[in-house]
Amino acid sequence: LPGNQPPPPSTTIPPPADPPITTTSTPPPPTSLPTGAPPPPIPFCATIPGNITYSNTRLPDPFLPIGGGTRVSTKGQWECRRREISELFQRYELGVVPPKPSSVTASFSGGTLSITVANGGPSISFSVSITAPSTGTAPFPAIIAYGAPSIPVPNSVAVIRFNNDDIAVQQNTGSRGSGKFYTLYGNNHSAGALAAWAWGVSRIVDALEITPSARIDTTRLAVTGCSRNGKGAIVAGAFEPRIALTIPQESGSGGSACWRLSDYQKSQGQNVQTASQIITENVWFSKNFDTFTSQVSRLSVDHHLLPGLIVPRGLLVIENTSQEWLGALSSYQCQRVGRRIYEAYGVPNNMGVSQVGNHNHCAFPSSQQAELTAFFNKFLLGQGSTNTSIVRTDGSFNFPETQFIDWTTPTLA
Ligand code: MCU
């Protein structure tokens, strides 16, 4: 994959010593709002507390608002909790995903969509390539691929290639603040690369909406990426509601995996990427995340809540049991738990989890083809009757569920 390196062989990774996870002994880190984080106003929602002290070794209850009070029991209340979860991810992990800038203009020529963005100050320009599908009638459904797709794309779906590294560089920890996002918002902006790329995806959708000559139907958009770019894809789906279908592939830690579960795997002696390791490798997360990584129990969110930002839109999580570093137990169980939000919402089959091994990293195995086809058919190609009831792994995990979950799944009215 362009711009990507394969995961390091397991023997070369120095296992960083995880500090012991304690629950209450250390005072929580400061929780002030990073500059420029305006939560979208929803008049009937309670105010999100500015200072949150949180400690929970289990996966946070998706349905319990952070300010306390009663559990969410309706879809209307979920909109408040959704806003809250979004805010918490931005404060403590990702950094701020800025709202639409004051100016977005675009032009399409020779298969290239050129996008210019300004926000009162300097402007930036970036472009994506659009490959029209070989069949079907315009405007076409399309998939935005971070880098290039590493899943098979139906021949009736256009492919939009997004050079996400151009927006936020992901070389190593020294790349923080590099890329066009930071030209616009400043090198010290709180956003890590995942947040900056999600902002970039939103600008691509803005541009498609005002550029009919690109011939893309913006009500039928998917996003995908593999590995580090899979982390990007799931975050883009979480922050851009105009994405109809989100397909993260082998995103592992920082994507489909839960920090708490990856730490658990690590504690069991497995060579799994953890929060404390990931911040030493790259700039995917905000600097604000650093203070939590040695004690993930203090995080008021974990990645089982990402599906809660996407619900009820389509989400297919593709994972691989043969890459120890990804955290197979963590990725599978995290998203299986996250799918409970889709169950509560009454649309369990809008989210699939499929984990299959015995193939290389980012090499899509044919055994997952029918599942992928079903999600494309349902969410991009308008075939509602397709079977997307998918939760499966070829792994066998001894998952101590009560150690991580102490809540039940409601039915949201
Ligand atoms: C699975 O994604 C990453 C992983 O987080 C990194 O630790 C490793 O270096 O690279 C993976 C990747 O992006 O591979 C292409």
Side-chain angles (χ1 to χ4, degrees):
L1 280 179
N4 284 342
Q5 295 117 41
S10 47
T11 45
T12 62
I13 295 162
D18 281 340
I21 293 178
T22 58
T23 47
T24 49
S25 55
T26 316
T31 55
S32 57
L33 268 172
T35 35
I42 304 179
F44 58 84
C45 295
T47 309
I48 303 168
N51 276 303
I52 292 166
T53 54
Y54 192 86
S55 180
N56 188 354
T57 55
R58 295 190 173 90
L59 297 172
D61 181 351
F63 305 99
L64 191 63
I66 202 76
T70 50
R71 284 183 97 211
V72 170
S73 62
T74 69
K75 290 177 188 165
Q77 290 166 0
W78 183 260
E79 292 314 310
C80 297
R81 178 64 173 142
R82 190 199 298 273
R83 184 192 68 148
E84 188 177 271
I85 292 168
S86 167
E87 168 78 12
L88 298 173
F89 269 116
Q90 291 178 77
R91 273 193 213 173
Y92 303 126
E93 266 199 29
L94 300 169
V96 170
V97 180
K100 186 176 178 178
S102 54
S103 166
V104 180
T105 57
S107 63
F108 183 70
S109 168
T112 299
L113 178 69
S114 304
I115 304 163
T116 299
V117 181
N119 201 34
S123 72
I124 58 154
S125 295
F126 69 104
S127 61
V128 294
S129 76
I130 302 182
T131 308
S134 55
T135 63
T137 346
F140 305 112
I143 187 162
I144 299 169
Y146 279 52
S150 42
I151 50 170
V153 175
N155 60 11
S156 53
V157 173
V159 174
I160 301 175
R161 286 179 178 77
F162 172 39
N163 179 9
N164 49 304
D165 295 41
D166 187 32
I167 297 297
V169 179
Q170 53 167 338
Q171 200 69 44
N172 51 42
T173 53
S175 350
R176 187 168 295 283
S178 307
K180 288 174 179 169
F181 175 92
Y182 303 97
T183 306
L184 203 57
Y185 291 106
N187 305 89
N188 290 322
H189 192 277
S190 66
L194 300 181
W197 301 333
W199 172 91
V201 167
S202 293
R203 304 296 72 84
I204 295 169
V205 184
D206 294 342
L208 292 170
E209 282 182 345
I210 56 172
T211 315
S213 59
R215 299 191 303 163
I216 299 299
D217 178 355
T218 53
T219 69
R220 294 187 293 157
L221 287 175
V223 66
T224 191
C226 190
S227 207
R228 58 196 60 201
N229 288 343
K231 307 181 210 303
I234 194 169
V235 169
F239 282 87
E240 179 42 73
R242 292 170 293 180
I243 297 291
L245 174 61
T246 301
I247 312 177
Q249 181 187 16
E250 300 190 42
S251 57
S253 277
S256 63
C258 279
W259 303 119
R260 287 165 173 83
L261 303 183
S262 297
D263 273 6
Y264 166 73
Q265 283 197 265
K266 176 97 179 158
S267 77
Q268 300 299 297
Q270 292 165 41
N271 185 34
V272 166
Q273 185 165 38
T274 60
S276 49
Q277 189 281 338
I278 210 166
I279 61 161
T280 68
E281 183 183 335
N282 219 310
V283 291
W284 297 308
F285 295 91
S286 174
K287 260 298 187 193
N288 298 340
F289 186 43
D290 288 8
T291 147
F292 292 93
T293 53
S294 64
Q295 276 190 302
V296 298
S297 58
R298 278 154 45 185
L299 275 174
S300 50
V301 287
D302 210 326
H303 283 216
H304 66 303
L305 297 177
L306 285 176
L309 300 182
I310 302 174
V311 70
R313 292 175 287 123
L315 171 60
L316 175 61
V317 177
I318 297 171
E319 276 296 332
N320 185 347
T321 40
S322 296
Q323 304 287 331
E324 188 176 2
W325 187 240
L326 296 175
L329 177 152
S330 181
S331 295
Y332 178 73
Q333 301 294 359
C334 183
Q335 295 306 312
R336 195 180 63 88
V337 172
R339 190 171 177 274
R340 290 183 182 207
I341 302 168
Y342 276 70
E343 286 167 24
Y345 209 92
V347 290
N349 297 339
N350 286 7
M351 176 175 172
V353 185
S354 179
Q355 187 180 49
V356 172
N358 293 311
H359 58 88
N360 288 336
H361 188 41
C362 300
F364 185 80
S366 58
S367 62
Q368 284 173 318
Q369 184 62 63
E371 297 161 348
L372 181 63
T373 300
F375 271 82
F376 272 121
N377 283 349
K378 183 166 176 174
F379 292 100
L380 253 54
L381 302 172
Q383 296 170 29
S385 62
T386 178
N387 180 12
T388 53
S389 171
I390 298 153
V391 182
R392 66 136 172 169
T393 178
D394 63 3
S396 54
F397 308 118
N398 189 3
F399 179 54
E401 184 162 302
T402 54
Q403 194 177 319
F404 290 106
I405 300 156
D406 60 359
W407 43 268
T408 55
T409 308
T411 299
L412 301 184

